[in-house]
Amino acid sequence: MPIRLLVSDLDGTLVDRDKHLTPATIAAVDRLRAAGIGFTVISARPMSGIRPLLEPLGLDGDVAAFNGGIVFRRDGTIVSHVTLSPAVARGVVDMADGVDIWVFADDRWYASDGDGAHTQSERHSSAQEPVVVESFDNLLDHADKVTFVSDDEKRLHALYERVHAAFGERATVAQSQTYYLDVTAITANKGDGIAALANALDIDLADTVAIGDQANDLPMLARAGLSIAMGNAPDAVKAAAHETTRANDADGVAHAIDTIILPRGDTE
């Protein structure tokens, strides 16, 4: 296959454990472009959490937030935007049981607890402070994402099963981390997202590479011509990918670019 575009997840993939882009990763992306291969990103993060990475990565074209729910550009252009249906948003929030709730709307992050589990990490990932609210009612008619947060993996998985059974045909329900359960619009999934990003560049999906580490990356790994799982990915994600690279804390994306992608490009 000719390789024309690499689409990368962010957390657990392109950035390290501290949510930083390493010099090795930035340099590898530069080598990729020098070889004539495009690069872009798709993430469960809101736009506010992606914007700070665009300049160091030299990204001016289309990138995707909320798993593809918003496609936008560094200059502020919104290319496309879909939100959860109000009925789904209200329904899933009503199902929450013993977990923290975050709602993302209007490029803001609203939380049931400003000091709950993983809020400090999300402050960095979303590049903003949470707005603590007692009720999400006025947000659920235009929510980009509802996230349930818990370190109780069994509780969160049980919630996933219930939410997916009730709303899986009307929303995208997936875990972006073992402690996050995200609900976005039905077309806000990374499979449709990678298709939109490739189409914007007039590139066939067969000529794309996708790289990621979590269950919400599975739809794009399934649709890309070449799929790469991170070394820190769960076994189920590794099993779904064509190749596996190093972990994100070992510059796994840079390793994939140099040892998997560029060598294949040299043979075309």
Side-chain angles (χ1 to χ4, degrees), residues 168-202:
E169 294 185 356
R170 291 188 282 164
T172 298
V173 185
Q175 289 192 241
S176 57
Q177 299 291 340
T178 57
Y179 40 82
Y180 292 156
L181 174 60
D182 294 337
V183 185
T184 51
I186 189 65
T187 56
N189 66 81
K190 291 189 179 181
D192 288 345
I194 193 175
L197 294 172
N199 185 64
L201 296 170
D202 196 26

PDB file of all heavy atoms in Angstrom, residues 168-202:
ATOM      1  N   GLY A 168     -26.691   2.469  22.330  1.00  0.00           N
ATOM      2  CA  GLY A 168     -25.622   2.153  21.388  1.00  0.00           C
ATOM      3  C   GLY A 168     -25.963   2.338  19.926  1.00  0.00           C
ATOM      4  O   GLY A 168     -25.068   2.499  19.092  1.00  0.00           O
ATOM      5  N   GLU A 169     -27.264   2.348  19.590  1.00  0.00           N
ATOM      6  CA  GLU A 169     -27.668   2.574  18.202  1.00  0.00           C
ATOM      7  C   GLU A 169     -27.875   4.050  17.899  1.00  0.00           C
ATOM      8  O   GLU A 169     -28.078   4.425  16.751  1.00  0.00           O
ATOM      9  CB  GLU A 169     -28.941   1.792  17.893  1.00  0.00           C
ATOM     10  CG  GLU A 169     -28.748   0.276  17.942  1.00  0.00           C
ATOM     11  CD  GLU A 169     -29.984  -0.481  17.529  1.00  0.00           C
ATOM     12  OE1 GLU A 169     -31.024   0.183  17.269  1.00  0.00           O
ATOM     13  OE2 GLU A 169     -29.922  -1.717  17.457  1.00  0.00           O
ATOM     14  N   ARG A 170     -27.807   4.900  18.933  1.00  0.00           N
ATOM     15  CA  ARG A 170     -28.034   6.336  18.735  1.00  0.00           C
ATOM     16  C   ARG A 170     -26.859   7.194  19.171  1.00  0.00           C
ATOM     17  O   ARG A 170     -26.900   8.421  19.043  1.00  0.00           O
ATOM     18  CB  ARG A 170     -29.291   6.776  19.493  1.00  0.00           C
ATOM     19  CG  ARG A 170     -30.576   6.240  18.916  1.00  0.00           C
ATOM     20  CD  ARG A 170     -31.774   6.866  19.583  1.00  0.00           C
ATOM     21  NE  ARG A 170     -32.038   6.288  20.898  1.00  0.00           N
ATOM     22  CZ  ARG A 170     -32.817   6.856  21.811  1.00  0.00           C
ATOM     23  NH1 ARG A 170     -33.368   8.044  21.579  1.00  0.00           N
ATOM     24  NH2 ARG A 170     -33.018   6.259  22.968  1.00  0.00           N
ATOM     25  N   ALA A 171     -25.816   6.557  19.702  1.00  0.00           N
ATOM     26  CA  ALA A 171     -24.649   7.306  20.176  1.00  0.00           C
ATOM     27  C   ALA A 171     -23.419   6.422  20.091  1.00  0.00           C
ATOM     28  O   ALA A 171     -23.517   5.189  20.003  1.00  0.00           O
ATOM     29  CB  ALA A 171     -24.856   7.774  21.612  1.00  0.00           C
ATOM     30  N   THR A 172     -22.256   7.051  20.126  1.00  0.00           N
ATOM     31  CA  THR A 172     -20.998   6.331  20.216  1.00  0.00           C
ATOM     32  C   THR A 172     -20.640   6.211  21.691  1.00  0.00           C
ATOM     33  O   THR A 172     -20.504   7.219  22.384  1.00  0.00           O
ATOM     34  CB  THR A 172     -19.887   7.078  19.458  1.00  0.00           C
ATOM     35  OG1 THR A 172     -20.240   7.142  18.078  1.00  0.00           O
ATOM     36  CG2 THR A 172     -18.555   6.360  19.606  1.00  0.00           C
ATOM     37  N   VAL A 173     -20.520   4.989  22.172  1.00  0.00           N
ATOM     38  CA  VAL A 173     -20.240   4.724  23.583  1.00  0.00           C
ATOM     39  C   VAL A 173     -18.934   3.945  23.648  1.00  0.00           C
ATOM     40  O   VAL A 173     -18.853   2.815  23.155  1.00  0.00           O
ATOM     41  CB  VAL A 173     -21.375   3.907  24.235  1.00  0.00           C
ATOM     42  CG1 VAL A 173     -21.118   3.741  25.726  1.00  0.00           C
ATOM     43  CG2 VAL A 173     -22.729   4.559  23.981  1.00  0.00           C
ATOM     44  N   ALA A 174     -17.893   4.532  24.216  1.00  0.00           N
ATOM     45  CA  ALA A 174     -16.586   3.875  24.220  1.00  0.00           C
ATOM     46  C   ALA A 174     -15.735   4.418  25.352  1.00  0.00           C
ATOM     47  O   ALA A 174     -15.911   5.553  25.800  1.00  0.00           O
ATOM     48  CB  ALA A 174     -15.866   4.080  22.891  1.00  0.00           C
ATOM     49  N   GLN A 175     -14.799   3.595  25.800  1.00  0.00           N
ATOM     50  CA  GLN A 175     -13.858   4.028  26.823  1.00  0.00           C
ATOM     51  C   GLN A 175     -12.607   4.607  26.165  1.00  0.00           C
ATOM     52  O   GLN A 175     -11.966   3.943  25.350  1.00  0.00           O
ATOM     53  CB  GLN A 175     -13.492   2.862  27.745  1.00  0.00           C
ATOM     54  CG  GLN A 175     -14.640   2.473  28.656  1.00  0.00           C
ATOM     55  CD  GLN A 175     -14.229   1.522  29.760  1.00  0.00           C
ATOM     56  OE1 GLN A 175     -14.731   0.412  29.835  1.00  0.00           O
ATOM     57  NE2 GLN A 175     -13.336   1.968  30.630  1.00  0.00           N
ATOM     58  N   SER A 176     -12.274   5.844  26.530  1.00  0.00           N
ATOM     59  CA  SER A 176     -11.059   6.479  26.022  1.00  0.00           C
ATOM     60  C   SER A 176      -9.882   6.220  26.950  1.00  0.00           C
ATOM     61  O   SER A 176      -8.734   6.426  26.570  1.00  0.00           O
ATOM     62  CB  SER A 176     -11.275   7.987  25.860  1.00  0.00           C
ATOM     63  OG  SER A 176     -11.670   8.587  27.079  1.00  0.00           O
ATOM     64  N   GLN A 177     -10.167   5.793  28.175  1.00  0.00           N
ATOM     65  CA  GLN A 177      -9.179   5.306  29.133  1.00  0.00           C
ATOM     66  C   GLN A 177      -9.910   4.289  30.007  1.00  0.00           C
ATOM     67  O   GLN A 177     -11.144   4.209  29.991  1.00  0.00           O
ATOM     68  CB  GLN A 177      -8.606   6.439  30.001  1.00  0.00           C
ATOM     69  CG  GLN A 177      -7.875   7.526  29.241  1.00  0.00           C
ATOM     70  CD  GLN A 177      -6.558   7.059  28.637  1.00  0.00           C
ATOM     71  OE1 GLN A 177      -5.990   6.057  29.065  1.00  0.00           O
ATOM     72  NE2 GLN A 177      -6.081   7.778  27.646  1.00  0.00           N
ATOM     73  N   THR A 178      -9.180   3.536  30.804  1.00  0.00           N
ATOM     74  CA  THR A 178      -9.851   2.559  31.665  1.00  0.00           C
ATOM     75  C   THR A 178     -10.770   3.244  32.668  1.00  0.00           C
ATOM     76  O   THR A 178     -11.707   2.629  33.174  1.00  0.00           O
ATOM     77  CB  THR A 178      -8.818   1.708  32.419  1.00  0.00           C
ATOM     78  OG1 THR A 178      -7.958   2.570  33.189  1.00  0.00           O
ATOM     79  CG2 THR A 178      -7.980   0.882  31.455  1.00  0.00           C
ATOM     80  N   TYR A 179     -10.518   4.529  32.937  1.00  0.00           N
ATOM     81  CA  TYR A 179     -11.305   5.256  33.936  1.00  0.00           C
ATOM     82  C   TYR A 179     -12.241   6.284  33.318  1.00  0.00           C
ATOM     83  O   TYR A 179     -12.902   7.029  34.021  1.00  0.00           O
ATOM     84  CB  TYR A 179     -10.370   5.946  34.932  1.00  0.00           C
ATOM     85  CG  TYR A 179      -9.124   6.555  34.286  1.00  0.00           C
ATOM     86  CD1 TYR A 179      -9.170   7.798  33.671  1.00  0.00           C
ATOM     87  CD2 TYR A 179      -7.923   5.856  34.293  1.00  0.00           C
ATOM     88  CE1 TYR A 179      -8.050   8.343  33.084  1.00  0.00           C
ATOM     89  CE2 TYR A 179      -6.792   6.393  33.704  1.00  0.00           C
ATOM     90  CZ  TYR A 179      -6.854   7.636  33.094  1.00  0.00           C
ATOM     91  OH  TYR A 179      -5.733   8.170  32.501  1.00  0.00           O
ATOM     92  N   TYR A 180     -12.317   6.367  31.981  1.00  0.00           N
ATOM     93  CA  TYR A 180     -13.230   7.275  31.289  1.00  0.00           C
ATOM     94  C   TYR A 180     -14.179   6.485  30.401  1.00  0.00           C
ATOM     95  O   TYR A 180     -13.736   5.656  29.592  1.00  0.00           O
ATOM     96  CB  TYR A 180     -12.485   8.257  30.384  1.00  0.00           C
ATOM     97  CG  TYR A 180     -11.621   9.297  31.061  1.00  0.00           C
ATOM     98  CD1 TYR A 180     -10.559   9.877  30.372  1.00  0.00           C
ATOM     99  CD2 TYR A 180     -11.865   9.722  32.358  1.00  0.00           C
ATOM    100  CE1 TYR A 180      -9.750  10.832  30.959  1.00  0.00           C
ATOM    101  CE2 TYR A 180     -11.062  10.685  32.955  1.00  0.00           C
ATOM    102  CZ  TYR A 180     -10.009  11.234  32.249  1.00  0.00           C
ATOM    103  OH  TYR A 180      -9.203  12.189  32.846  1.00  0.00           O
ATOM    104  N   LEU A 181     -15.461   6.778  30.499  1.00  0.00           N
ATOM    105  CA  LEU A 181     -16.451   6.265  29.561  1.00  0.00           C
ATOM    106  C   LEU A 181     -17.075   7.459  28.859  1.00  0.00           C
ATOM    107  O   LEU A 181     -17.708   8.301  29.494  1.00  0.00           O
ATOM    108  CB  LEU A 181     -17.523   5.454  30.305  1.00  0.00           C
ATOM    109  CG  LEU A 181     -18.708   4.977  29.453  1.00  0.00           C
ATOM    110  CD1 LEU A 181     -18.243   4.069  28.323  1.00  0.00           C
ATOM    111  CD2 LEU A 181     -19.738   4.259  30.327  1.00  0.00           C
ATOM    112  N   ASP A 182     -16.868   7.538  27.554  1.00  0.00           N
ATOM    113  CA  ASP A 182     -17.316   8.688  26.776  1.00  0.00           C
ATOM    114  C   ASP A 182     -18.550   8.351  25.958  1.00  0.00           C
ATOM    115  O   ASP A 182     -18.651   7.264  25.371  1.00  0.00           O
ATOM    116  CB  ASP A 182     -16.223   9.139  25.800  1.00  0.00           C
ATOM    117  CG  ASP A 182     -14.993   9.689  26.493  1.00  0.00           C
ATOM    118  OD1 ASP A 182     -15.112  10.140  27.653  1.00  0.00           O
ATOM    119  OD2 ASP A 182     -13.918   9.681  25.874  1.00  0.00           O
ATOM    120  N   VAL A 183     -19.452   9.304  25.871  1.00  0.00           N
ATOM    121  CA  VAL A 183     -20.625   9.189  25.007  1.00  0.00           C
ATOM    122  C   VAL A 183     -20.649  10.411  24.103  1.00  0.00           C
ATOM    123  O   VAL A 183     -20.675  11.554  24.580  1.00  0.00           O
ATOM    124  CB  VAL A 183     -21.929   9.105  25.826  1.00  0.00           C
ATOM    125  CG1 VAL A 183     -23.119   8.869  24.885  1.00  0.00           C
ATOM    126  CG2 VAL A 183     -21.851   7.999  26.872  1.00  0.00           C
ATOM    127  N   THR A 184     -20.596  10.174  22.803  1.00  0.00           N
ATOM    128  CA  THR A 184     -20.621  11.245  21.810  1.00  0.00           C
ATOM    129  C   THR A 184     -21.687  10.910  20.770  1.00  0.00           C
ATOM    130  O   THR A 184     -22.310   9.846  20.798  1.00  0.00           O
ATOM    131  CB  THR A 184     -19.250  11.413  21.122  1.00  0.00           C
ATOM    132  OG1 THR A 184     -18.800  10.133  20.630  1.00  0.00           O
ATOM    133  CG2 THR A 184     -18.218  11.951  22.103  1.00  0.00           C
ATOM    134  N   ALA A 185     -21.892  11.800  19.832  1.00  0.00           N
ATOM    135  CA  ALA A 185     -22.877  11.569  18.770  1.00  0.00           C
ATOM    136  C   ALA A 185     -22.535  10.304  17.984  1.00  0.00           C
ATOM    137  O   ALA A 185     -21.380   9.880  17.947  1.00  0.00           O
ATOM    138  CB  ALA A 185     -22.926  12.780  17.836  1.00  0.00           C
ATOM    139  N   ILE A 186     -23.523   9.716  17.354  1.00  0.00           N
ATOM    140  CA  ILE A 186     -23.313   8.453  16.654  1.00  0.00           C
ATOM    141  C   ILE A 186     -22.240   8.570  15.574  1.00  0.00           C
ATOM    142  O   ILE A 186     -21.462   7.640  15.347  1.00  0.00           O
ATOM    143  CB  ILE A 186     -24.639   7.924  16.047  1.00  0.00           C
ATOM    144  CG1 ILE A 186     -24.478   6.508  15.521  1.00  0.00           C
ATOM    145  CG2 ILE A 186     -25.190   8.865  14.996  1.00  0.00           C
ATOM    146  CD1 ILE A 186     -24.191   5.460  16.548  1.00  0.00           C
ATOM    147  N   THR A 187     -22.148   9.724  14.906  1.00  0.00           N
ATOM    148  CA  THR A 187     -21.115   9.914  13.889  1.00  0.00           C
ATOM    149  C   THR A 187     -19.825  10.472  14.466  1.00  0.00           C
ATOM    150  O   THR A 187     -18.844  10.630  13.733  1.00  0.00           O
ATOM    151  CB  THR A 187     -21.608  10.845  12.762  1.00  0.00           C
ATOM    152  OG1 THR A 187     -22.031  12.094  13.329  1.00  0.00           O
ATOM    153  CG2 THR A 187     -22.767  10.208  12.011  1.00  0.00           C
ATOM    154  N   ALA A 188     -19.818  10.773  15.769  1.00  0.00           N
ATOM    155  CA  ALA A 188     -18.599  11.257  16.436  1.00  0.00           C
ATOM    156  C   ALA A 188     -17.825  10.052  16.953  1.00  0.00           C
ATOM    157  O   ALA A 188     -17.746   9.788  18.142  1.00  0.00           O
ATOM    158  CB  ALA A 188     -18.937  12.218  17.570  1.00  0.00           C
ATOM    159  N   ASN A 189     -17.274   9.306  16.002  1.00  0.00           N
ATOM    160  CA  ASN A 189     -16.443   8.150  16.321  1.00  0.00           C
ATOM    161  C   ASN A 189     -15.218   8.213  15.430  1.00  0.00           C
ATOM    162  O   ASN A 189     -15.233   8.846  14.367  1.00  0.00           O
ATOM    163  CB  ASN A 189     -17.215   6.846  16.109  1.00  0.00           C
ATOM    164  CG  ASN A 189     -17.551   6.608  14.653  1.00  0.00           C
ATOM    165  OD1 ASN A 189     -16.719   6.136  13.882  1.00  0.00           O
ATOM    166  ND2 ASN A 189     -18.778   6.950  14.245  1.00  0.00           N
ATOM    167  N   LYS A 190     -14.147   7.566  15.833  1.00  0.00           N
ATOM    168  CA  LYS A 190     -12.888   7.749  15.114  1.00  0.00           C
ATOM    169  C   LYS A 190     -12.856   7.054  13.757  1.00  0.00           C
ATOM    170  O   LYS A 190     -11.997   7.366  12.936  1.00  0.00           O
ATOM    171  CB  LYS A 190     -11.711   7.313  15.994  1.00  0.00           C
ATOM    172  CG  LYS A 190     -11.496   8.255  17.169  1.00  0.00           C
ATOM    173  CD  LYS A 190     -10.207   7.967  17.912  1.00  0.00           C
ATOM    174  CE  LYS A 190     -10.012   8.932  19.072  1.00  0.00           C
ATOM    175  NZ  LYS A 190      -8.753   8.698  19.799  1.00  0.00           N
ATOM    176  N   GLY A 191     -13.807   6.147  13.512  1.00  0.00           N
ATOM    177  CA  GLY A 191     -13.910   5.570  12.182  1.00  0.00           C
ATOM    178  C   GLY A 191     -14.409   6.587  11.179  1.00  0.00           C
ATOM    179  O   GLY A 191     -13.789   6.822  10.130  1.00  0.00           O
ATOM    180  N   ASP A 192     -15.523   7.250  11.495  1.00  0.00           N
ATOM    181  CA  ASP A 192     -16.013   8.323  10.635  1.00  0.00           C
ATOM    182  C   ASP A 192     -15.048   9.492  10.648  1.00  0.00           C
ATOM    183  O   ASP A 192     -14.892  10.200   9.641  1.00  0.00           O
ATOM    184  CB  ASP A 192     -17.391   8.791  11.101  1.00  0.00           C
ATOM    185  CG  ASP A 192     -18.483   7.775  10.798  1.00  0.00           C
ATOM    186  OD1 ASP A 192     -18.241   6.857   9.992  1.00  0.00           O
ATOM    187  OD2 ASP A 192     -19.577   7.890  11.375  1.00  0.00           O
ATOM    188  N   GLY A 193     -14.375   9.700  11.797  1.00  0.00           N
ATOM    189  CA  GLY A 193     -13.426  10.810  11.904  1.00  0.00           C
ATOM    190  C   GLY A 193     -12.251  10.665  10.973  1.00  0.00           C
ATOM    191  O   GLY A 193     -11.874  11.612  10.275  1.00  0.00           O
ATOM    192  N   ILE A 194     -11.642   9.483  10.923  1.00  0.00           N
ATOM    193  CA  ILE A 194     -10.490   9.303  10.035  1.00  0.00           C
ATOM    194  C   ILE A 194     -10.914   9.397   8.577  1.00  0.00           C
ATOM    195  O   ILE A 194     -10.160   9.901   7.726  1.00  0.00           O
ATOM    196  CB  ILE A 194      -9.754   7.974  10.324  1.00  0.00           C
ATOM    197  CG1 ILE A 194      -8.394   7.944   9.616  1.00  0.00           C
ATOM    198  CG2 ILE A 194     -10.580   6.781   9.930  1.00  0.00           C
ATOM    199  CD1 ILE A 194      -7.559   6.712   9.941  1.00  0.00           C
ATOM    200  N   ALA A 195     -12.147   8.961   8.286  1.00  0.00           N
ATOM    201  CA  ALA A 195     -12.647   9.076   6.919  1.00  0.00           C
ATOM    202  C   ALA A 195     -12.768  10.541   6.511  1.00  0.00           C
ATOM    203  O   ALA A 195     -12.399  10.919   5.396  1.00  0.00           O
ATOM    204  CB  ALA A 195     -13.993   8.366   6.795  1.00  0.00           C
ATOM    205  N   ALA A 196     -13.275  11.382   7.422  1.00  0.00           N
ATOM    206  CA  ALA A 196     -13.414  12.806   7.128  1.00  0.00           C
ATOM    207  C   ALA A 196     -12.058  13.477   6.954  1.00  0.00           C
ATOM    208  O   ALA A 196     -11.867  14.306   6.048  1.00  0.00           O
ATOM    209  CB  ALA A 196     -14.209  13.494   8.241  1.00  0.00           C
ATOM    210  N   LEU A 197     -11.094  13.112   7.803  1.00  0.00           N
ATOM    211  CA  LEU A 197      -9.769  13.725   7.712  1.00  0.00           C
ATOM    212  C   LEU A 197      -9.064  13.315   6.415  1.00  0.00           C
ATOM    213  O   LEU A 197      -8.396  14.131   5.773  1.00  0.00           O
ATOM    214  CB  LEU A 197      -8.930  13.323   8.929  1.00  0.00           C
ATOM    215  CG  LEU A 197      -9.413  13.861  10.278  1.00  0.00           C
ATOM    216  CD1 LEU A 197      -8.624  13.236  11.412  1.00  0.00           C
ATOM    217  CD2 LEU A 197      -9.314  15.389  10.330  1.00  0.00           C
ATOM    218  N   ALA A 198      -9.210  12.057   6.037  1.00  0.00           N
ATOM    219  CA  ALA A 198      -8.593  11.596   4.789  1.00  0.00           C
ATOM    220  C   ALA A 198      -9.271  12.230   3.583  1.00  0.00           C
ATOM    221  O   ALA A 198      -8.603  12.650   2.620  1.00  0.00           O
ATOM    222  CB  ALA A 198      -8.666  10.070   4.705  1.00  0.00           C
ATOM    223  N   ASN A 199     -10.605  12.317   3.626  1.00  0.00           N
ATOM    224  CA  ASN A 199     -11.343  12.898   2.507  1.00  0.00           C
ATOM    225  C   ASN A 199     -10.978  14.354   2.288  1.00  0.00           C
ATOM    226  O   ASN A 199     -10.927  14.827   1.138  1.00  0.00           O
ATOM    227  CB  ASN A 199     -12.847  12.771   2.771  1.00  0.00           C
ATOM    228  CG  ASN A 199     -13.675  13.244   1.592  1.00  0.00           C
ATOM    229  OD1 ASN A 199     -13.634  12.672   0.503  1.00  0.00           O
ATOM    230  ND2 ASN A 199     -14.434  14.304   1.810  1.00  0.00           N
ATOM    231  N   ALA A 200     -10.711  15.090   3.368  1.00  0.00           N
ATOM    232  CA  ALA A 200     -10.341  16.501   3.234  1.00  0.00           C
ATOM    233  C   ALA A 200      -9.054  16.673   2.443  1.00  0.00           C
ATOM    234  O   ALA A 200      -8.825  17.715   1.821  1.00  0.00           O
ATOM    235  CB  ALA A 200     -10.193  17.132   4.621  1.00  0.00           C
ATOM    236  N   LEU A 201      -8.202  15.644   2.467  1.00  0.00           N
ATOM    237  CA  LEU A 201      -6.937  15.684   1.738  1.00  0.00           C
ATOM    238  C   LEU A 201      -7.001  14.882   0.444  1.00  0.00           C
ATOM    239  O   LEU A 201      -5.979  14.695  -0.223  1.00  0.00           O
ATOM    240  CB  LEU A 201      -5.813  15.136   2.625  1.00  0.00           C
ATOM    241  CG  LEU A 201      -5.516  15.956   3.887  1.00  0.00           C
ATOM    242  CD1 LEU A 201      -4.575  15.194   4.803  1.00  0.00           C
ATOM    243  CD2 LEU A 201      -4.919  17.309   3.513  1.00  0.00           C
ATOM    244  N   ASP A 202      -8.208  14.413   0.086  1.00  0.00           N
ATOM    245  CA  ASP A 202      -8.412  13.596  -1.109  1.00  0.00           C
ATOM    246  C   ASP A 202      -7.524  12.349  -1.076  1.00  0.00           C
ATOM    247  O   ASP A 202      -6.888  11.991  -2.070  1.00  0.00           O
ATOM    248  CB  ASP A 202      -8.142  14.415  -2.378  1.00  0.00           C
ATOM    249  CG  ASP A 202      -8.705  13.742  -3.630  1.00  0.00           C
ATOM    250  OD1 ASP A 202      -9.669  12.970  -3.494  1.00  0.00           O
ATOM    251  OD2 ASP A 202      -8.163  13.981  -4.726  1.00  0.00           O
TER     252      ASP A 202
END
